Amino acid sequence: QVQLVESGGGLVQAGGSLRLSCAASGSTFSINAMGWYRQAPGKQREFVATITRGGTTNYSDSVKGRFTISRDNAKNTMYLQMKSLKPEDTAVYYCTARDRTSVVGLPNYWGQGTQVTVSS
């Protein structure tokens, strides 16, 4: 089993920056990728970014060029540096992880979520 805990959410004005962190524990050796999803009120959950154990990254078009995902494998910690934030980025952000048991490569471990609110 893998446990994920997010931190770093908060309130920020449009154009500002935040850095989210996700600490993984448990059977972290089994993780082959980690990432971030988000969900705004009344909307479906959407993909934000992923990073593999080897360091390959992918981003959604909506955040590309503004967000940077990174990881420290030794510390079992993943980060999402968010800059040039927009009100549309307001959502609960979820840390995710994937191992070989995942379905169609989707995350099978989820954190509790951290709220990011961007004011206009």
Side-chain angles (χ1 to χ4, degrees):
Q1 289 292 318
V2 174
Q3 295 80 45
L4 304 171
V5 179
E6 306 98 330
S7 62
L11 175 64
V12 64
Q13 291 187 344
S17 300
L18 281 175
R19 188 181 71 162
L20 305 183
S21 299
C22 176
S25 60
S27 301
T28 57
F29 60 87
S30 67
I31 297 172
N32 54 47
M34 297 182 70
W36 296 91
Y37 281 69
R38 66 187 182 185
Q39 187 167 25
K43 297 184 178 180
Q44 293 189 346
R45 187 187 306 156
E46 66 174 348
F47 163 79
V48 176
T50 55
I51 185 167
T52 69
R53 181 172 289 274
T56 300
T57 60
N58 285 289
Y59 298 91
S60 69
D61 289 339
S62 63
V63 307
K64 193 173 300 181
R66 300 187 298 119
F67 291 10
T68 302
I69 189 170
S70 61
R71 86 280 181 261
D72 186 334
N73 288 337
K75 295 182 178 180
N76 291 317
T77 301
M78 177 184 62
Y79 306 94
L80 185 68
Q81 180 66 54
M82 306 182 293
K83 63 179 182 180
S84 301
L85 283 162
K86 306 173 181 179
E88 307 93 86
D89 296 317
T90 295
V92 176
Y93 283 70
Y94 295 92
C95 175
T96 69
R98 185 190 74 193
D99 63 21
R100 64 180 297 166
T101 69
S102 72
V103 177
V104 200
L106 296 174
N108 55 328
Y109 299 99
W110 295 80
Q112 83 287 350
T114 186
Q115 177 70 47
V116 172
T117 302
V118 184
S119 62
S120 58

